[in-house]
Amino acid sequence: MAGGVRRPDGAGGVHRPQAGAASPGIRAAPGIWCERTVYRSVHADEVESWTFLAIGTPLRAVGAIVADARRLTAGLPGRARERALRGVAAEERVAAVAALHRGEPCGLALSCAGTWVEWSATPVLFLPVLPVGPAPR
């Protein structure tokens, strides 16, 4: 489950988002941005669904991904379910939480009943939404 996200341009290494400070006076809250993409086939050629979730801590983010993977595989027979869930073993979850604490993204992919499912978790800074009011004069 741990690891980085390859840069789309294929340039060297793994892209890790920069954790920068927000502007003075704006209080940004650290958190984790999670996404799940379900493809219609194991070839990942057509997106069936996409969803996202904003979570406050690395442990809760990894827990949400693992719970979602378990829900998705619940109807599979024993061995097929075990095979699909190999990526969420305890040591993989610990590595994913550690990566998120280091500011690195992590992800999980699995084949489930003929579909391909990918989860990703990326550390981010959530900026507050400011109320809209009259323009300053």
Side-chain angles (χ1 to χ4, degrees), residues 1-94:
M1 190 167 173
V5 175
R6 291 272 169 215
R7 290 178 41 171
D9 62 5
V14 173
H15 171 70
R16 293 192 172 83
Q18 297 294 317
S23 299
I26 296 177
R27 298 196 188 271
I32 309 297
W33 181 259
C34 300
E35 295 182 4
R36 179 189 68 197
T37 307
V38 178
Y39 297 92
R40 290 182 189 247
S41 74
V42 294
H43 304 293
D45 49 3
E46 189 176 339
V47 174
E48 173 77 24
S49 67
W50 174 83
T51 188
F52 66 91
L53 182 62
I55 298 182
T57 67
L59 185 60
R60 290 186 62 214
V62 171
I65 290 172
V66 169
D68 194 39
R70 287 185 175 146
R71 272 190 304 275
L72 237 58
T73 59
L76 295 175
R79 285 198 174 177
R81 184 171 193 262
E82 289 172 15
R83 190 172 41 253
L85 291 176
R86 280 191 189 131
V88 296
E91 60 273 4
E92 294 293 329
R93 293 192 308 264
V94 170

Side-chain angles (χ1 to χ4, degrees), residues 109-125:
L110 60 84
S111 174
C112 178
T115 61
W116 185 255
V117 185
E118 295 177 348
W119 289 266
S120 65
T122 305
V124 296
L125 289 176

